[in-house]
Amino acid sequence: MGMAPRFNFLLHAFLCLALTTTSFSLSPKFYDNLCPQALPAIKRIVEAAVHREPRMGASLLRLHFHDCFVNVTSFLHTTILCMPKNGLELIFLVFQGCDGSLLLDSTSAFETEKNARGNFNSVRGFEVVDQIKAEVDRVCGRPVVSCADILAVAARDSVLALGGPTWKVRLGRRDSTTASRALADSVLPSASMDLPALISNFKNQGLNTRDLVALSGGHTIGLSQCVIFRNRIYNATNIDPTFAKERRVTCPRTGGNTNLAPFDPTPARFDTAYFKNLVKERGLLTSDQALFSGGSTDKLVETYSKNPDAFWVDFGKSMIKMGNIKPLMGNQGQIRVNCRKVN
């Protein structure tokens, strides 16, 4: 291949790639013309579900978080149509972050992420997602809203329903056609992590220390299972003894694994009690108290504990940032008809 043809070919390939990768970005206005009834429909169902069971707000928030953190990198051998006649085969990397992969049930091709260590017998709210999907497809007249976008909007509406801040959710994500339990096992943060491990876990997702502290504040709502915090209430040294004693009442050394305890005294209210708790060494999980244990995040925890506005602003910003983790867009992925399975 001479210089000129090679250059033309490379230019062609580059333009092609540019077309397939850069022409799309998420936007809060994505459904404004496509289906203006979509967002109000999601809000209605989330509000009703959270009203019925306040814990559901935390469950829906967590679904979005655990969806975004798992990035499946799959090699796709694709013949690029706009390539020269020989139809060069390129290997494409599809990074999937907030792509609804968590919602997929197991198939012969992959095991569901619902079985991963950080999810098994613990992620919940799938029936509400199904309900939202059915209603949104009904009001829109066809499946135009992705399951990934439903998770992003439901997370925001849940926080709002429990008295928290709002933010403009960027939309236009598409749904993955695969999932990876192994990847979920390796990337989801664990409740036993110390501060350096948490910082590095979030950094791998393009999130900084401020994002880590703000997003951990999502634990101002919801409950945790005894099996997750048992080790801390019996063995930790950086724990308020009275608090440890209170928690042991419903979380024995053996048995009672699924007994629930709130992260803070107001689990149905999105407030700053979570951070106030940390300052008093009353964090429920090891990974909670790690944020206030003499490390680089102590100052921010104190700030949030005293200043709800600062927490709210940062929480919204960090949620937008997390919602931007490697989404599928444009003609990547699909809009699922049923959030539990690939079309």
Side-chain angles (χ1 to χ4, degrees):
M1 202 189 264
M3 269 315 282
R6 180 179 292 152
F7 176 75
N8 286 338
F9 170 79
L10 286 173
L11 186 67
H12 199 97
F14 175 74
L15 287 173
C16 233
L17 269 175
L19 282 172
T20 55
T21 53
T22 57
S23 18
F24 303 99
S25 66
L26 301 181
S27 154
K29 298 181 182 321
F30 189 81
Y31 295 107
D32 285 8
N33 297 322
L34 213 51
C35 178
Q37 312 91 309
L39 269 63
I42 298 175
K43 193 173 188 183
R44 269 198 314 277
I45 293 175
V46 170
E47 280 176 350
V50 172
H51 184 74
R52 254 195 326 273
E53 184 201 15
R55 180 188 176 202
M56 189 52 74
S59 302
L60 293 171
L61 174 60
R62 188 159 179 254
L63 281 182
H64 179 45
F65 171 57
H66 282 215
D67 181 37
C68 290
F69 261 55
V70 179
N71 309 325
V72 181
T73 310
S74 57
F75 288 89
L76 285 190
H77 293 265
T78 348
T79 304
I80 307 302
L81 296 175
C82 57
M83 280 297 180
K85 280 192 286 288
N86 56 2
L88 191 84
E89 252 209 8
L90 276 194
I91 292 176
F92 257 118
L93 285 173
V94 175
F95 294 103
Q96 298 157 298
C98 312
D99 63 357
S101 59
L102 173 55
L103 302 173
L104 290 171
D105 288 331
S106 291
T107 68
S108 55
F110 57 82
E111 186 183 356
T112 178
E113 290 171 20
K114 297 171 189 179
N115 291 348
R117 266 194 303 274
N119 290 333
F120 189 65
N121 281 340
S122 129
V123 279
R124 60 197 291 280
F126 300 108
E127 298 74 17
V128 177
V129 175
D130 292 339
Q131 206 189 335
I132 293 170
K133 178 66 173 151
E135 179 59 11
V136 161
D137 286 358
R138 189 186 69 78
V139 300
C140 297
R142 64 192 204 290
V144 284
V145 182
S146 66
C147 301
D149 274 350
I150 286 173
L151 290 183
V153 176
R156 189 266 316 269
D157 291 346
S158 292
V159 168
L160 197 55
L162 292 172
T166 188
W167 58 92
K168 277 194 157 63
V169 181
R170 312 285 196 268
L171 300 160
R173 296 168 194 78
R174 288 171 65 87
D175 296 323
S176 73
T177 52
T178 185
S180 170
R181 180 212 162 146
L183 199 69
D185 272 336
S186 67
V187 299
L188 286 174
S190 112
S192 59
M193 281 181 174
D194 63 4
L195 186 59
L198 288 165
I199 289 173
S200 117
N201 181 279
F202 273 63
K203 195 178 169 195
N204 289 339
Q205 304 289 355
L207 300 170
N208 61 30
T209 308
R210 184 173 284 262
D211 300 317
L212 163 66
V213 179
L215 292 171
S216 296
H219 282 178
T220 175
I221 53 177
L223 313 165
S224 179
Q225 299 183 27
C226 162
V227 67
I228 308 293
F229 60 83
R230 177 183 284 124
N231 186 39
R232 173 160 162 77
I233 62 171
Y234 286 100
N235 302 317
T237 50
N238 61 344
I239 190 165
D240 170 50
T242 316
F243 173 69
K245 217 159 136 189
E246 284 167 13
R247 284 290 149 261
R248 288 173 191 160
V249 174
T250 55
C251 183
R253 275 183 193 277
T254 51
N257 278 355
T258 57
N259 293 357
L260 297 168
F263 285 104
D264 76 12
T266 54
R269 203 162 66 234
F270 199 96
D271 54 21
T272 57
Y274 169 79
F275 296 108
K276 291 191 170 87
N277 253 19
L278 297 186
V279 175
K280 296 185 239 168
E281 295 199 315
R282 288 174 150 249
L284 187 60
L285 311 182
T286 301
S287 56
D288 290 323
Q289 198 56 56
L291 303 177
F292 191 85
S293 54
S296 59
T297 50
D298 283 16
K299 266 264 168 302
L300 194 52
V301 167
E302 275 186 46
T303 301
Y304 289 161
S305 75
K306 297 186 185 113
N307 187 341
D309 289 343
F311 169 45
W312 281 31
V313 167
D314 284 356
F315 187 79
K317 281 186 192 160
S318 294
M319 284 297 292
I320 290 170
K321 212 166 149 184
M322 183 183 79
N324 269 335
I325 296 175
K326 299 170 185 158
L328 297 173
M329 290 181 289
N331 51 7
Q332 301 172 316
Q334 59 183 215
I335 305 294
R336 276 182 224 144
V337 175
N338 173 349
C339 290
R340 294 172 187 259
K341 45 180 202 253
V342 175
N343 295 349

